[in-house]
């Protein structure tokens, strides 16, 4: 066997993470098996019906007064607003509202960007969408482009999932050949050119303005906001950026209506959400469930805490989200509002589960190393502060902590927050403060034993 | 870049230039620089690493300053600024992977290959690196081979099969 053949033996096939049949009323992951990602299979599942509906190419009679074929831009945006779809990348910003910020009448070039730079530790949902259902993203982007009067788009894909980049490129070729992308789509007069771009190893490029810099062929250092991308985005032009899963939700919403999508979730938290469950569970993987599903149910879908251990803590929204102890987490439902009320963030939906054998100091040490490593170096509080945090947590973990370290840790974290151009500084500080808040005794015990008088 | 020595230009083959052209075509005519990341990864795939000479030649191709290309090579983690082994192994050890044996997978490879992380085997076959989140957290232990091949659920047995298999494919079993 040659090297390629050997490597292919270890390639994931999605069975454990996506085709396990343990989703609840899935929309994005529905009916996937790994072999049905291509255009003909997507169309057989009802794919591109939403785009046809929007463009008036689904055979429906003109409706309304005055009679309209298809949907207007305002109707598409109103439907998105009604759906209460909120951005799936982490911030949870209402998608319809974001789309309404785009100056549609701006006469120059405008851009649409998909953020598939999925690097928030714990998150692996967009990879399975791009690998096993890439056309749902293309269709969602084409509808978004129509709604905002945009003619060119890019999908920025995490460089580490190169196979997903290749897969998306293949899907783009299929869509172009079928007249679903490119000039005069389905003979509607609407044109949309869509291309794939790959990163090459920089967590910061998941931040939308760093992503734009990277897409322009530069270092991925975030821009100061304002101006926001809606007025000054890619190449200085108006730009709308949404996460992969957000675009993937759009076709269902257009086919079934905003009210139906909202009804799938709970008020202010429409639809389904994909949760990437990792860490100490029996069956780590992606689980698509209605917004508002109890955390206890999600844990059960993932097979429960592994090896019969008990739940200690959960980081509910990716590594930047504050950790929550088991007792608080077991009372939460999985939606933006419930997790925020409990003192954390739903974020990207990455649920990192930790059992009762885990040392929180050691866990925080690894996270703090990550933020130090990925700080872009632009802002002093982040560049210097993330290294300072890591060095302090390291020495506490290694039995060399000092009595003053607890106050200093909190002080350094507090002085990073709100003092940087982008949210990476906050993302580094929040886990530190939450760990100290909920698991202070573990840090103090390590420091105390380090400073105990010799017997 | 700072040596002051003359940089030997690299000639790109016509096949490589065709791959470059396909990337450049995605962007507006005055924004060829947007293709720099894709072109650098193509160079790395074909040459194993990004030399200063390759940076200079790519800069000329895209109409950029060489330092602007070098900024990109040095900012993003996956570009090799020096030659690496024939197989570059990146093992994720970030927290979700640390909870599922990512760290022990890295240690297992260190032991099996007789090198420490960051090192290259004496036969030039393997370079072993720790990496940050690969975005495949539910597949842990997970590793990336030569930037483009993700290997999932890598138990120690599978790691052994992979290393032995790659050695055999190079006639060095």
């Amino acid at each position: 066997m040659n090297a390629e053949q050997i490597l292919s033996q270890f390639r994931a096939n999605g069975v454990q993470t996506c085709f396990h049949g343990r989703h609840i009323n899935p929309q994005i992951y529905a009916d996937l098996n790994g072999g049905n990602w291509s255009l003909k299979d997507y169309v057989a599942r009802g794919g591109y019906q939403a785009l046809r509906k929007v463009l008036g190419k689904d055979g429906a009679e003109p409706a309304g007064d005055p009679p309209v074929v298809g949907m207007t831009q305002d109707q598409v945006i109103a439907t998105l607003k009604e759906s209460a779809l909120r951005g799936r990348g982490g911030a949870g910003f209402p998608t319809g509202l974001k789309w309404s910020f785009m100056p549609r009448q701006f006469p120059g070039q405008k851009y649409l960007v998909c953020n598939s730079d999925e690097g928030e530790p714990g998150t692996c949902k967009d990879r399975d969408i791009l690998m096993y259902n890439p056309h749902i993203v293309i269709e969602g982007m084409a509808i978004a482009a129509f709604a905002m009067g945009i003619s060119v788009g890019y999908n920025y894909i995490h460089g580490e999932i190169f196979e997903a980049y290749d897969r998306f490129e293949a899907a783009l070729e299929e869509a172009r050949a079928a007249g679903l992308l490119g000039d005069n789509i389905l003979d509607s007069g609407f044109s949309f050119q869509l291309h794939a771009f790959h990163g090459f190893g920089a967590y910061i490029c998941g931040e939308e303005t760093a992503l734009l810099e990277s897409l322009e062929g530069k270092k991925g250092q975030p821009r100061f906001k304002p101006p926001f991308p809606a007025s000054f985005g890619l190449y200085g032009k108006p730009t709308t950026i949404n996460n992969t899963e957000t675009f993937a939700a759009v076709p269902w919403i257009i086919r079934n209506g905003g009210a139906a999508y909202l009804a799938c979730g709970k008020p202010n938290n429409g639809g389904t959400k994909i949760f990437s469950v990792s860490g100490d569970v029996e069956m780590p993987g992606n689980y698509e469930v209605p917004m508002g599903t109890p955390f206890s149910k999600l844990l059960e879908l993932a097979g429960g805490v592994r090896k019969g251990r008990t739940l200690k803590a959960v980081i509910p929204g990716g590594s930047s989200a504050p950790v929550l102890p088991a007792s608080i987490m077991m009372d939460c439902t999985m939606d933006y509002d419930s997790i925020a009320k409990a003192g954390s963030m739903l974020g990207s939906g990455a649920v990192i589960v930790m059992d009762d054998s885990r040392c929180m100091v050691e866990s925080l040490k690894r996270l703090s190393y990550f933020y130090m490593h990925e700080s872009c170096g632009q802002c002093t509080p982040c560049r210097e502060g993330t290294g300072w945090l890591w060095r302090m947590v390291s020495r506490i973990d290694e039995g060399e902590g000092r009595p003053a370290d607890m106050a200093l840790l909190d002080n350094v974290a507090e002085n990073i927050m709100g003092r940087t151009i982008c949210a990476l500084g906050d993302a580094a500080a929040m886990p530190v403060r939450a760990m100290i808040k909920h698991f202070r005794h573990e840090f103090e015990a390590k420091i105390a034993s380090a400073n105990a008088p010799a017997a | 870049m700072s040596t002051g020595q003359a940089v030997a230009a690299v000639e790109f083959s016509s096949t490589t230039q065709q791959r470059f052209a396909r990337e450049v075509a995605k962007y507006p005519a005055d924004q060829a620089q947007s293709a720099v990341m894709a072109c650098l990864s193509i160079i790395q795939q074909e040459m194993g690493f990004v030399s200063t000479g390759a940076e200079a030649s790519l800069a000329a191709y895209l109409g950029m300053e060489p330092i602007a290309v070098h900024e990109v090579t040095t900012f993003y983690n996956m570009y090799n600024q020096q030659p690496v082994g024939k197989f570059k192994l990146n093992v994720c050890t970030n927290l979700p992977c640390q909870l599922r044996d990512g760290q022990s997978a890295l240690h297992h490879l260190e032991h099996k290959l007789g090198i420490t992380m960051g090192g290259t085997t004496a036969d030039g076959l393997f370079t072993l690196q720790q990496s940050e989140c690969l975005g495949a957290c539910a597949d842990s232990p997970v590793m990336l081979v030569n930037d483009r091949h993700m290997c999932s659920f890598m138990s120690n047995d599978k790691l052994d099969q992979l290393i032995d298999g790659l050695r055999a494919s190079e006639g060095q079993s």
Side-chain angles (χ1 to χ4, degrees):
Chain A
M1 281 195 291
N2 65 27
E4 288 268 334
Q5 291 165 327
I6 289 162
L7 289 166
S8 69
Q9 294 177 330
F10 301 96
R11 190 179 297 155
N13 58 14
V15 170
Q16 292 96 328
T17 58
C18 190
F19 317 133
H20 43 56
R22 294 193 303 280
H23 307 294
I24 300 175
N25 302 327
Q27 298 168 356
I28 295 168
Y29 284 165
D31 303 319
L32 305 182
N33 62 22
N36 59 4
W37 63 269
S38 70
L39 178 62
K40 67 173 170 31
D41 295 311
Y42 182 64
V43 169
R45 290 195 294 274
Y48 289 106
Q49 280 303 317
L51 180 62
R52 288 179 186 277
K53 179 178 175 178
V54 165
L55 298 179
K57 298 294 174 181
D58 59 348
E61 293 297 316
D65 183 28
V68 179
V69 178
M71 293 174 76
T72 64
Q73 293 175 324
D74 286 329
Q75 283 173 336
V76 173
I77 291 174
T79 302
L80 264 291
K81 284 184 175 172
E82 185 184 19
S83 75
L85 172 64
R86 294 169 63 174
R88 301 302 196 222
F93 192 83
T95 304
L97 189 60
K98 185 184 262 191
W99 289 11
S100 72
F101 291 158
M102 171 58 84
R104 282 191 313 228
Q105 306 314 320
F106 179 81
Q109 185 67 55
K110 301 184 284 291
Y111 292 100
L112 185 68
V113 174
C114 178
N115 185 346
S116 299
D117 194 32
E118 185 175 49
E120 175 76 11
T123 320
C124 49
K125 64 190 175 66
D126 297 336
R127 172 188 180 222
D128 280 357
I129 298 175
L130 294 170
M131 283 302 292
Y132 307 124
N133 206 8
H135 283 284
I136 201 169
V137 180
I138 296 173
E139 185 179 14
M141 289 189 76
I143 292 166
F146 169 83
M148 291 179 277
I150 298 172
S151 62
V152 178
Y154 296 98
N155 186 5
Y156 188 114
I157 299 172
H158 199 221
E160 287 86 339
I161 52 170
F162 216 93
E163 286 142 338
Y165 171 77
D166 287 338
R167 173 65 52 85
F168 195 76
E169 289 257 48
L172 287 174
E173 286 298 327
E174 286 187 321
R176 288 180 193 125
L180 296 160
L181 278 179
D183 294 329
N184 193 21
I185 293 171
L186 297 171
D187 202 25
S188 65
F190 167 62
S191 298
F192 179 53
Q193 317 294 334
L194 179 58
H195 304 284
F197 180 102
H198 69 76
F200 223 57
Y203 167 68
I204 190 62
C205 291
E207 197 279 341
E208 62 180 10
T209 61
L211 184 152
L212 293 175
E213 289 287 301
S214 184
L215 195 41
E216 292 180 3
K218 303 170 188 165
K219 290 180 290 184
Q221 292 190 315
R223 299 173 181 171
F224 196 84
K225 293 189 281 193
F228 291 91
S231 53
F232 189 93
L234 182 63
Y235 311 129
K237 304 295 185 189
T239 301
T240 297
I241 306 163
N242 286 122
N243 171 252
T244 319
E245 186 186 352
T246 308
F247 284 123
V250 170
W252 195 98
I253 293 169
I254 296 298
R255 282 205 309 273
N256 298 280
Y261 188 78
L262 177 56
C264 294
K266 62 184 260 191
N268 199 34
N269 296 266
T272 61
K273 172 84 188 85
I274 302 170
F275 293 99
S276 301
V277 184
S278 65
D280 293 322
V281 292
E282 288 289 348
M283 295 183 280
N286 291 311
Y287 297 89
E288 184 178 356
V289 299
M291 280 283 190
T293 298
F295 169 73
S296 56
K297 180 66 187 173
L298 181 64
L299 185 61
E300 182 191 318
L301 291 174
V305 180
R306 68 174 167 170
K307 296 177 186 163
R309 287 200 164 273
T310 56
L311 184 68
K312 177 174 186 175
V314 176
I315 301 175
S319 66
S320 309
V323 66
L324 292 174
S327 56
I328 294 177
M329 201 62 213
M330 290 304 279
D331 289 335
C332 286
T333 58
M334 299 306 291
D335 56 84
Y336 297 102
D337 297 337
S338 172
I339 301 290
K341 200 173 161 194
S344 188
M345 312 186 305
L346 192 73
S348 58
V351 180
I352 306 170
V353 176
M354 291 186 270
D355 72 28
D356 59 340
S357 70
R358 299 300 175 184
C359 168
M360 301 313 255
V361 184
E362 186 187 359
S363 298
L364 181 61
K365 181 170 79 169
R366 186 63 187 84
L367 285 183
S368 293
Y369 178 84
F370 167 68
Y371 290 107
M372 174 185 71
H373 190 268
E374 297 299 324
S375 173
C376 82
Q378 193 175 205
C379 308
T380 307
C382 176
R383 182 184 65 240
E384 302 301 324
T386 51
W388 198 355
L389 290 174
W390 174 69
R391 290 191 297 276
M392 276 193 284
V393 177
S394 290
R395 72 181 177 229
I396 294 171
D397 185 55
E398 287 152 20
E400 293 169 4
R402 303 163 193 171
D405 279 351
M406 291 306 292
L408 191 56
L409 260 184
D410 201 44
N411 184 266
V412 171
E414 185 182 348
N415 279 290
I416 296 173
M417 291 188 74
R419 290 179 165 84
T420 55
I421 287 174
C422 86
L424 192 142
D426 287 15
M430 281 190 292
V432 172
R433 304 195 81 190
M435 285 286 192
I436 293 175
K437 179 180 173 189
H438 295 296
F439 299 98
R440 187 178 192 92
H441 56 282
E442 293 192 26
F443 292 77
E444 288 179 341
K446 284 216 168 198
I447 292 172
S449 67
N451 292 278
Chain B
M1 278 283 145
S2 58
T3 59
Q5 294 169 352
V7 172
V10 169
E11 291 263 342
F12 299 120
S13 70
S14 62
T15 318
T16 305
Q17 292 198 35
Q18 281 169 18
R19 295 182 70 188
F20 288 175
R22 191 177 168 281
E23 298 300 329
V24 170
K26 296 176 179 179
Y27 308 100
D30 59 347
Q31 299 290 349
Q33 178 169 347
S34 282
V36 68
M37 289 186 58
C39 293
L40 284 171
S41 81
I42 290 167
I43 290 170
Q44 179 154 306
Q45 188 185 29
E46 297 187 354
M47 301 177 181
F49 78 112
V50 180
S51 67
T52 310
E55 284 179 348
S57 299
L58 180 62
Y61 180 88
L62 294 174
M64 297 169 66
E65 289 296 327
I67 188 64
V69 178
H70 190 60
E71 281 187 343
V72 171
T73 313
T74 52
F75 186 84
Y76 297 89
N77 297 325
M78 289 166 67
Y79 294 116
N80 307 328
Q81 296 170 58
Q82 305 291 333
V84 296
K86 176 145 193 180
F87 301 105
K88 182 178 70 166
L89 315 175
N90 283 79
V91 182
C92 179
T93 60
N94 206 305
L95 181 60
C97 280
Q98 181 173 283
L99 297 172
R100 295 194 80 83
D101 303 326
Q103 198 78 47
S104 60
L106 179 65
H107 290 322
H108 183 80
L109 286 172
E110 285 182 326
H111 181 73
K112 172 135 183 117
L113 297 172
I115 54 176
T116 54
M117 83 182 189
T120 299
T121 54
D123 59 10
L125 269 191
F126 297 101
T127 293
L128 181 63
Q129 297 177 346
Q130 167 177 268
S131 91
E132 292 304 337
C133 189
L134 297 173
C137 315
D139 294 9
S140 179
V142 65
M143 64 195 288
L144 195 59
V145 180
N146 286 352
D147 310 320
R148 296 180 184 225
H149 302 276
M150 187 87 77
C151 297
S152 296
F153 306 106
M154 298 305 284
S155 60
N156 288 351
D157 281 352
K158 284 190 172 181
L159 289 170
D160 290 345
Q161 288 170 30
L162 176 74
I163 299 299
D164 295 344
L166 290 176
R167 274 187 180 142
S169 76
E170 295 297 312
Q172 297 197 24
S173 58

